Amino acid sequence: MEPYVIEIPDAELDDLRARLGRTRWPARENVPDWSQGIPLAYVQELCETWATTYDWRRCEAELNAAGSSQTAIDGLDVHFLHVRSPHAGALPLLVTHGWPGSVVEFLDVLHALADPPDPADAFHVVCPSLPGFGFSGQPPQAGWGADRTARAWAQLMPRLGYERYGAQGGDWGAMVTTRLAQVDGAHLVGIHLNMVVVGREAIDAAGPPTPQERALLQRYAEHRDKGSAYASQQRTRPQTLGYGLADSPAAQCAWIAEKFHAWTDNDGHPEDAVSRDRLLDNVMLYWLTNAGATSARMYWESFAERELGTIAVPTGASLFPKEIVPASERWIRHRFPDLRYCNEPDRGGHFAALEQPELFAEEVRAAFRTMR
């Protein structure tokens, strides 16, 4: 267990700018919207900002100030942020990101969680980078899916001195968190999810869908039919995808930024929901660490091992309106019978902590008030 100071050499930043300047752009889309993918003009605009005015050193300093650390677990280096609360009695909280996110998702909520208005709501916050993501190690052998990651997290927390803790997650972070509830439930106070995967069995067990639930099913069907090609690629041929993402920063930027249009609660533009600087901060954690292929492998590793059994630990759920994997409270109760908290915020999407940091922090606090 040791501090991990992020210090990207100037030469790597110079190389990034040079590559951006040499980008060979594709032909412009021939539709006036995003239906063929992220528009050429917007990617060019993002990359121009990235090459000229974007300040990586600002983000680097934020990450280092947030307790950037590293430890080896099961032969793999695990990078994490660690912010201790100033308040006695704070509850340790393990927060896990997904794809195409990173620990950057939580930079704007760390202080709110660690030092809230009411000290009774305080957390010691631990935010690890998934294997193959960001500054964590890139597994040299297969086997690092959601299950093995959850088991690694179960070693990380006691190593930090936390025998009793809560866990939170969305996207792959939700999958890791629910698996953690199964493999380390004895040490968990409870979990909070902002993406809740229930499975077909739970939906069928709840009985005929209500009109609202039918709308949720339709929304998910549209996502599956028109917005899930990325997942098919990453769960079947992540290595093939990786060559382009490793060589072209414009490709890596476009591959990620497109999801911030499709998955956020915006008014037609991703920067309605997430600032350009934060979007590029997140892309940088993929580009600088060459994580395009290794992050995609989480899909290859984990789709076949998805475990949708009952989760017995106390659970809280925040159902943000633009979440791409929607669920109803009735469905959730069939897989998570000890559901202590379930709320439907009026705004926010898949990247809730980035889009609505204050609202996200309050949702986490409210959920764990029922479990502490």
Side-chain angles (χ1 to χ4, degrees), residues 87-231:
H87 302 293
L91 176 68
L93 180 66
L94 175 67
V95 183
T96 307
H97 67 87
W99 184 93
S102 66
V103 294
V104 163
E105 291 185 61
F106 306 111
L107 286 175
D108 294 324
V109 300
L110 293 173
H111 177 76
L113 293 172
D115 192 13
D118 183 350
D121 288 329
F123 298 97
H124 300 304
V125 188
V126 179
C127 297
S129 295
L130 290 167
F133 287 70
F135 295 101
S136 278
Q138 299 180 346
Q141 290 90 31
W144 277 93
D147 178 80
R148 191 170 178 182
T149 301
R151 295 177 189 276
W153 285 190
Q155 295 181 58
L156 174 63
M157 293 304 277
R159 192 173 294 185
L160 291 168
Y162 301 139
E163 295 294 332
R164 177 178 176 271
Y165 64 98
Q168 197 285 329
D171 194 87
W172 282 114
M175 304 299 288
V176 171
T177 298
T178 52
R179 188 65 182 132
L180 184 64
Q182 294 172 314
V183 303
D184 199 36
H187 295 105
L188 277 171
V189 173
I191 63 174
H192 173 261
L193 307 172
N194 57 283
M195 186 188 87
V196 188
V197 177
V198 294
R200 190 74 240 180
E201 184 177 334
I203 293 172
D204 292 342
T210 66
Q212 181 188 28
E213 289 170 340
R214 282 197 295 272
L216 296 179
L217 290 169
Q218 178 61 35
R219 197 169 95 211
Y220 180 68
E222 291 174 0
H223 167 71
R224 185 187 62 228
D225 294 343
K226 298 180 180 179
S228 63
Y230 78 95

Side-chain angles (χ1 to χ4, degrees), residues 224-283:
R224 185 187 62 228
D225 294 343
K226 298 180 180 179
S228 63
Y230 78 95
S232 295
Q233 177 68 34
Q234 295 193 153
R235 73 180 176 84
T236 57
R237 297 294 187 273
Q239 187 67 21
T240 304
L241 173 68
Y243 297 106
L245 300 183
D247 190 58
S248 169
Q252 181 67 87
C253 181
W255 189 243
I256 289 176
E258 195 245 1
K259 301 310 175 197
F260 281 80
H261 172 264
W263 298 356
T264 60
D265 188 0
N266 63 70
D267 295 323
H269 195 286
E271 292 172 35
D272 298 332
V274 179
S275 74
R276 183 171 297 187
D277 274 349
R278 274 291 181 246
L279 198 158
L280 291 172
D281 291 343
N282 183 62
V283 172

Side-chain angles (χ1 to χ4, degrees), residues 4-10 12-13 56-57 60 64 135:
Y4 183 86
V5 179
I6 302 167
E7 294 179 308
I8 302 302
D10 286 340
E12 290 193 29
L13 302 181
W56 161 250
R57 299 301 181 195
E60 187 178 72
N64 286 327
F135 295 101

